Amino acid sequence: QVQLVESGGGLVQSGGSLRLSCAASGSIFNVNARGWYRQSPGKQRELVAQITSGGSTNYADSVKGRFTISRDNAKNTMYLQMNDLKPGDTAVYYCNVRVTTFLPPALDYWGQGTQVTVSS
């Protein structure tokens, strides 16, 4: 029933910017955290940015100062603003919503992924 739909990926030159969006259809309750992950060929999926239900944020060291995660509660949408993009940022980006369940472990919802390609 719950779906996360991503958009905003594309091809950009080094130093450019993109904004990724992740819209949730329907309501998600008992959210622990929301975040963006990325995965490039031959690499493990890594956490890029995270925002807790209380609004605290965390970023991977590689993107600090360049990426910003945010939410628009009225639109039920979260964003990842990516500035000063580097070729190393090339990956498929996935949005994630982690919810608390009655019994562990927590439940993760994932977007379908959106490709970000940064050229040299």
Side-chain angles (χ1 to χ4, degrees), residues 53-75:
S53 60
S56 299
T57 57
N58 298 288
Y59 297 93
D61 288 342
S62 60
V63 307
K64 285 181 180 177
R66 300 188 297 120
F67 290 12
T68 304
I69 187 171
S70 62
R71 294 176 57 207
D72 187 331
N73 291 341
K75 296 181 178 179

Side-chain angles (χ1 to χ4, degrees), residues 37-41 89-94 112-116:
Y37 293 73
R38 68 187 181 188
Q39 187 168 26
S40 57
D89 297 319
T90 296
V92 178
Y93 284 71
Y94 299 89
Q112 83 281 6
T114 185
Q115 177 70 46
V116 172

Side-chain angles (χ1 to χ4, degrees), residues 9-84:
L11 174 64
V12 65
Q13 289 186 311
S14 294
S17 297
L18 288 171
R19 188 178 75 161
L20 306 183
S21 299
C22 176
S25 63
S27 298
I28 305 177
F29 300 96
N30 303 316
V31 174
N32 280 338
R34 300 169 173 85
W36 290 91
Y37 293 73
R38 68 187 181 188
Q39 187 168 26
S40 57
K43 301 287 187 179
Q44 298 294 314
R45 184 174 297 188
E46 65 172 338
L47 176 66
V48 177
Q50 183 182 61
I51 184 168
T52 69
S53 60
S56 299
T57 57
N58 298 288
Y59 297 93
D61 288 342
S62 60
V63 307
K64 285 181 180 177
R66 300 188 297 120
F67 290 12
T68 304
I69 187 171
S70 62
R71 294 176 57 207
D72 187 331
N73 291 341
K75 296 181 178 179
N76 209 19
T77 301
M78 59 188 252
Y79 305 94
L80 184 67
Q81 179 66 48
M82 304 184 293
N83 297 326
D84 193 24

